[in-house]
Amino acid sequence: MDDQTQALAADPALGNPTLGRLAEKLPPHVWFGVSAVFHYLGPAFAVLLFPHVGVLGMAWLRIATAALIFAPLTRPRRTFARADRSTRLLLLAFGACLAVMNCSFYLALDRLPISLVAAIEFVGTIGVAVIGLRSPRNIAALAVAVTGTLLLIDVKWSDDPIGLFWAFLNGVLFVGYILLGHRIAASGAGSGIASLGAAMAIAFIVVLPIGLTDALPAFFTPPLLLAAIGVGICSSVIPYICDQLAMSRLPRASFALMLSLLPVTATLIGVVVLHQIPSFADCLGIAMVVAGVAFHKPASRTRH
């Protein structure tokens, strides 16, 4: 155990042992499932608020909400102060990644269908999975899951170059989120969440001058502010915590493969919330994705 891990483990505010025990008690797939549900609920609500606070204003409110919620729970200043130089650089990189990724994601959603943005985002995760899933069995599982995902995502290309730029930038940064998030989670779930809180504080500093002006109307309209806070909780608190709890137990290639379940959760949410009945192709796609994820065999946690 290195000095940083010892410091985190010694301080409950930095490395919460209760979270560690909870992460170990429940399978990582449970945490991923919760994250996957909120992965689509958050953006769905955010798009509805774009006309009122702007795209970057919504990104600002999302990150600000998460930073304020994490601050008293994880003590980001103390986490950063106790970290060594390499860990500080990691936190800075992760925070900057979160800030720019969230902004580019919303800027892409403002111009492109969510299905296209999701498809572009998924391309990078395939690369992460291919590199790490080294056995023939796992490569076959990935192929089945990808085929199922393509059946689920109704992708229509766009001729909006600006929207595509933001979508591809988001896709690249989402890969960065997986890689950096797994390094953060390597010291355990509790300390990973403490580091996540510090990174979110850094993300807030990055976006502070970018979306503040657009976000100001929300402070004078209580229902709008409450809605924006709800988006922040759904988008950057619950899913990011659940991702850390899953990442602390799963190799990053396995986590990347499980991201193919996101279109499945979107389809199921459509059935439950919007009463959108899936087609036969959708049902086949769901079955293939579930089969691919179930068939793959995760490597040990140390293999990335």
Side-chain angles (χ1 to χ4, degrees), residues 231-299:
V231 169
I233 294 172
C234 289
S235 301
S236 292
V237 178
I238 296 175
Y240 287 173
I241 288 176
C242 290
D243 282 350
Q244 280 297 308
L245 294 174
M247 286 178 178
S248 67
R249 303 269 302 282
L250 288 170
R252 69 187 181 199
S254 295
F255 184 85
L257 171 62
M258 289 182 67
L259 289 170
S260 60
L261 289 170
L262 294 182
V264 173
T265 61
T267 303
L268 296 178
I269 289 173
V271 173
V272 175
V273 179
L274 304 175
H275 306 290
Q276 297 175 342
I277 307 302
S279 65
F280 174 77
D282 291 333
C283 293
L284 179 60
I286 291 174
M288 293 183 71
V289 170
V290 173
V293 172
F295 184 66
H296 109 284
K297 182 179 180 181

Side-chain angles (χ1 to χ4, degrees), residues 117-150:
V117 177
I120 293 173
E121 191 174 70
F122 186 60
V123 169
T125 67
I126 294 174
V128 176
V130 166
I131 292 173
L133 298 176
R134 299 164 186 169
S135 70
R137 168 178 171 166
N138 285 343
I139 295 299
L142 175 65
V144 171
V146 169
T147 303
T149 301
L150 294 177

Side-chain angles (χ1 to χ4, degrees), residues 112-117 119-120 153-159 164:
L112 303 176
I114 192 171
S115 59
L116 178 55
V117 177
I120 293 173
I153 300 179
D154 181 21
V155 180
K156 295 179 176 62
W157 196 248
S158 172
D159 58 358
L164 290 172

Side-chain angles (χ1 to χ4, degrees), residues 49 58 61-62 65-66 69 222 224-235 237:
L49 299 180
M58 188 62 251
L61 289 164
R62 167 182 173 172
T65 297
I69 290 175
L224 185 59
L225 182 60
L226 288 175
I229 291 172
V231 169
I233 294 172
C234 289
S235 301
V237 178

